[in-house]
Amino acid sequence: ILLSGGLDSTTVLAIAKNQGYACYALSFAYGQRHVIELEAAEKIAKLFQCIEHRVLTIDLGGFGGSALTDISIAVPEHATSGIPATYVPARNTIFLANALAYAEVIEADAIFIGVNAVDYSGYPDCRPDYLNAFEVMANLATKRAVEGERIRFEAPLIHLSKAEIIQAGLRLGIDYHQTISCYQVDQRGNACGRCDSCRLRKQGFLQAGIADATHYTS
């Protein structure tokens, strides 16, 4: 499970556990603006009794090019057209490549990722075509797959709205108050309430008809 500590990846973890998978969680310290989300991921992995939770350090901040890895680029606080400044170049490709290596070592049957193509923020690496292409590549590139043990890439949220994701998670007993979605959360864990991720989260709870217990600064 690629586990960021956010709403989507936590829901995916709950879905995988509910389906009977023995779960290994993988998070990344990739040079993002804050590590609060990694603290949330650690708590969530323990709560869901993951067999192992690894945090891999990859310095995407060394390349920059994103508001999430370069503090000189402002996080957008209003809706914008096109691919937003919070897109991190090749992030999901890098994450999935590392997850693939981990999965091959532990002989995992599937890699779960919380990408979503309905109300995603315009990221090209959250689309079904991208994930399908990566799965094809993965099963050409690994010893285990060549020997007959193909790996599946599961994206159970891919066609769900944020409201539907929240409703599915609540049915599985998730306490979303423990998740961190904000791109610029403060040191006390309070969300800004203005970034793309916060706006999608707020809208999701509103459309789901569920009270949002997230602490927003605005």
Side-chain angles (χ1 to χ4, degrees):
I1 316 291
L2 292 181
L3 184 65
S4 70
L7 185 152
D8 293 342
S9 66
T10 300
T11 305
V12 167
L13 173 55
I15 289 171
K17 285 285 290 187
N18 188 59
Q19 292 177 356
Y21 283 92
C23 296
Y24 293 73
L26 180 62
S27 303
F28 294 91
Y30 62 93
Q32 61 265 57
R33 281 177 173 259
H34 61 79
V35 296
I36 304 279
E37 66 181 31
L38 295 177
E39 295 171 5
E42 181 180 6
K43 293 175 184 176
I44 291 162
K46 288 179 180 176
L47 181 65
F48 281 92
Q49 299 179 320
C50 291
I51 294 173
E52 184 175 51
H53 176 221
R54 290 198 178 193
V55 179
L56 196 61
T57 299
I58 302 174
D59 184 20
L60 297 185
F63 299 123
S66 168
L68 298 192
T69 57
D70 185 343
I71 60 172
S72 71
I73 302 174
V75 172
E77 295 187 350
H78 303 283
T80 57
S81 60
I83 298 172
T86 49
Y87 164 71
V88 180
R91 181 177 64 177
N92 280 351
T93 301
I94 293 166
F95 285 3
L96 285 172
N98 281 275
L100 178 61
Y102 183 28
E104 188 168 21
V105 170
I106 63 175
E107 299 185 346
D109 297 314
I111 293 172
F112 280 76
I113 184 171
V115 295
N116 172 253
V118 175
D119 59 3
Y120 76 114
S121 296
Y123 302 152
D125 54 2
C126 287
R127 296 174 297 171
D129 287 351
Y130 162 76
L131 197 61
N132 291 337
F134 196 99
E135 182 173 317
V136 171
M137 182 279 298
N139 284 298
L140 289 170
T142 53
K143 174 179 179 290
R144 195 160 178 260
V146 169
E147 292 178 347
E149 297 292 336
R150 294 176 61 85
I151 191 161
R152 301 186 313 280
F153 285 72
E154 301 283 355
L157 313 183
I158 195 81
H159 296 300
L160 300 183
S161 69
K162 191 67 72 177
E164 290 170 331
I165 292 168
I166 291 167
Q167 289 166 339
L170 291 174
R171 287 194 295 270
L172 294 170
I174 295 175
D175 176 6
Y176 282 118
H177 181 257
Q178 300 184 64
T179 64
I180 300 290
S181 298
C182 181
Y183 291 146
Q184 48 189 0
V185 65
D186 68 21
Q187 292 303 309
R188 294 187 296 174
N190 296 316
C192 75
R194 302 179 302 276
C195 67
D196 281 351
S197 189
C198 281
R199 291 198 303 270
L200 285 172
R201 184 178 175 118
K202 283 181 174 181
Q203 184 181 43
F205 277 102
L206 183 63
Q207 291 177 347
I210 305 296
D212 183 0
T214 306
H215 291 152
Y216 297 105
T217 59
S218 65

